[in-house]
Amino acid sequence: MKLFSVKNGLGGREIIVDTEANVVRHYSRGDLQERLLEAVQAEGRDPDHLHQEDLAGADEFHIGGIKATEDLASSAGIHSGSRVLDVGSGIGGTARHFAHRFGVTVHGVDLTPEFVQVARSLTELTGLSGQVTFSQGSALALPFGDDEFDVPTMLHVGMNIDDKAALFAEVFRVLKPGGVFAVYDVMRMSDDEPTFPLP
């Protein structure tokens, strides 16, 4: 959890901001799974018998979509037998894609409880729960031991984490020696202070 103080501009009052709590509030809807399954059904697909491809429109929650996911996997050397960690897994699209496409085992971690619940449910509905699991947690305190993953990945997550040094140190801790940490993210290009969550 990252706390920092800001002045709110209304009388110069100083307030404490919890970046992680702001991110969770920003991304929580309360009805996400219901809305996704309604959209799937509106496209003529059976929400009770989903295939990974049925979720393509919503599953790749980052710029570049499935092509960016494929490029990242190729660059990182993800292959059958890899143990992959998806940091900031959202509703699990990237994790499910890696499992479906490459036959790997993936564990996703996300800060937002609703995303984790939806990720688990969609993974079960697509028949990939034997290869893909999810945990709710912070990228700054990953719930794993040292040296557990061949390829940790992070797609459009680091932009919402203020303490990049702590993030990279934590991912390095769970990365196996000789492994690859693959990042696809929006990067700050100026000295201006960011307002989280981004973009």
Side-chain angles (χ1 to χ4, degrees):
M1 172 183 338
K2 177 67 176 175
L3 298 175
F4 59 95
S5 62
V6 296
K7 296 206 176 188
N8 71 1
L10 300 173
R13 241 178 348 124
E14 189 170 1
I15 58 173
I16 302 298
V17 177
D18 177 345
T19 302
E20 289 187 345
N22 282 346
V23 169
V24 168
R25 274 192 300 278
H26 178 78
Y27 287 111
S28 295
R29 299 192 55 89
D31 63 350
L32 180 59
Q33 181 168 326
E34 180 181 304
R35 292 172 56 123
L36 281 171
L37 294 179
E38 285 172 0
V40 165
Q41 190 168 24
E43 290 182 5
R45 304 184 195 292
D46 181 357
D48 294 323
H49 299 93
L50 291 176
H51 299 279
Q52 178 59 24
E53 299 81 18
D54 294 338
L55 299 169
D59 248 0
E60 301 297 327
F61 195 48
H62 51 265
I63 297 168
I66 195 72
K67 171 126 176 45
T69 302
E70 285 282 338
D71 290 348
L72 182 90
S74 175
S75 296
I78 292 175
H79 63 287
S80 180
S82 295
R83 185 148 187 246
V84 178
L85 173 65
D86 185 9
V87 179
S89 54
I91 63 170
T94 298
R96 283 190 299 277
H97 179 77
F98 289 157
H100 177 74
R101 171 80 166 77
F102 300 101
V104 299
T105 301
V106 186
H107 191 94
V109 175
D110 200 273
L111 191 59
T112 306
E114 183 179 16
F115 279 5
V116 173
Q117 181 273 319
V118 172
R120 288 174 177 157
S121 178
L122 294 177
T123 301
E124 181 71 30
L125 289 169
T126 57
L128 292 168
S129 58
Q131 291 173 260
V132 185
T133 55
F134 298 94
S135 297
Q136 191 274 325
S138 171
L140 301 177
L142 294 168
F144 306 105
D146 296 351
D147 307 331
E148 287 198 30
F149 294 94
D150 301 299
V151 184
T153 63
M154 189 173 71
L155 290 83
H156 282 206
V157 174
M159 62 191 177
N160 284 323
I161 300 173
D162 190 41
D163 191 345
K164 305 290 192 269
L167 167 67
F168 287 115
E170 185 62 0
V171 172
F172 182 76
R173 181 185 66 75
V174 302
L175 178 66
K176 288 181 181 177
V180 173
F181 178 27
V183 178
Y184 177 67
D185 218 325
V186 175
M187 300 295 174
R188 186 170 81 170
M189 302 300 289
S190 72
D191 290 334
D192 295 337
E193 285 299 316
T195 301
F196 296 100
L198 297 170

